[in-house]
């Protein structure tokens, strides 16, 4: 089994970091650069940085700011938000991103992920899926920060993204986001069983047991989290130690 990654998620809005619940009621929690510098010292495996308003505002990513941020980021950095074309992917990689996360544009521009995968390699392309649980118990995909619904099941969409060339899937349960009540294990399990590429579980982590469950019960290859690291004393390193104690392989530096 490959080592399981712990990935803090940074949500970027108007040059600051925010965190909400269910993709709403955004609360400012700091600025990006200090957060990156802190995570550099905490043995995180990767970072995810998403500009949450770029796509809805129909603007390109902030390449200049990203270039400054990436210069001080010493772990692999995945960047999302505002990506609509191949040139945006190129500019983000040139600005220091190691991977790009594509969500809304994948629905509108079906050739974007295949073209990006062929040009830059599937290891650079993360297919992001935001999932809403309907009252009837069915799952549906959404985009534009959860404001636009798509009549497609996330298992089907994940398989389509894999065929298109995505190297992994960032899977977020919209209603769980920011609640710290636990990941949607059933959603993770269903999607993980539908594809052969890694699944990054996101949305709902509140303690280390939630992360362990996402891996052991859901089949996730990585766990992404925000609120647990912003609002509690729990840390990425301790998360990895907790998982390691249950037999989950993690990257822990020996000092």
């Amino acid at each position: 089994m490959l080592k399981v990654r712990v990935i803090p998620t940074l949500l970027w809005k108007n040059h600051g970091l925010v965190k909400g619940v269910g993709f709403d009621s955004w609360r400012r929690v700091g600025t990006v650069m200090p957060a990156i510098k802190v995570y550099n010292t905490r043995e995180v495996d990767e970072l995810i940085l998403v500009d949450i308003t770029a796509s809805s505002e129909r603007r390109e990513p902030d390449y200049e700011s990203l270039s400054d941020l990436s210069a001080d980021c010493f772990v692999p950095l995945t960047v999302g938000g505002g990506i609509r074309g191949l040139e945006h992917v190129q500019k983000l990689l040139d600005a220091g991103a190691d991977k790009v996360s594509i969500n809304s544009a994948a629905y509108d521009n079906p050739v974007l992920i295949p073209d990006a995968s062929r040009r830059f390699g599937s290891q650079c392309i993360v297919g992001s899926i935001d999932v809403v649980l309907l009252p009837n118990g069915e799952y549906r995909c959404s985009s534009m920060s959860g404001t636009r619904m798509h009549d497609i099941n996330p298992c089907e969409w994940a398989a389509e993204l894999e065929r298109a060339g995505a190297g992994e899937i960032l899977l977020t349960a919209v209603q769980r986001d920011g609640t710290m009540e636990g990941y949607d294990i059933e959603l993770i399990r269903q999607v993980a069983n539908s594809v052969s590429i890694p699944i990054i579980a996101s949305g709902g982590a509140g303690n280390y047991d939630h992360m362990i469950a996402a891996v052991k019960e859901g089949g996730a290859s990585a766990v992404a989290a925000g609120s647990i690291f912003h609002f509690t004393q729990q840390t990425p390193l301790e998360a990895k130690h907790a998982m390691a104690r249950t037999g989950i392989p993690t990257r822990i530096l020996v000092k």
Side-chain angles (χ1 to χ4, degrees), residues 51-130:
D51 185 333
I52 62 171
T53 58
S55 291
S56 60
E57 294 174 356
R58 303 296 293 178
R59 59 176 171 80
E60 293 188 29
D62 186 343
Y63 309 113
E64 183 176 354
S65 293
L66 176 61
S67 182
D68 292 338
L69 295 169
S70 65
D72 282 299
C73 183
F74 305 130
V75 298
L77 178 64
T78 298
V79 178
I83 301 168
R84 298 192 305 278
L86 203 60
E87 71 278 11
H88 300 157
V89 177
Q90 178 72 71
K91 289 179 180 178
L92 284 172
L93 296 175
D94 289 343
D98 298 284
K99 306 177 189 177
V100 296
S101 174
I102 299 173
N103 187 316
S104 300
Y107 300 96
D108 300 327
N109 184 0
V111 300
L112 176 56
I113 286 181
D115 287 351
S117 178
R118 281 192 293 269
R119 176 178 289 191
F120 307 111
S122 61
Q123 77 283 351
C124 292
I125 310 301
V126 179
S128 175
I129 307 177
D130 296 333

Side-chain angles (χ1 to χ4, degrees), residues 9 14 22 25 34 39 81 93 103 134 137 164 174-175 198 212 236 247:
T9 302
N14 299 328
S25 302
Y39 283 128
L93 296 175
N103 187 316
L134 301 181
V174 172
Q175 289 110 318
I212 292 167

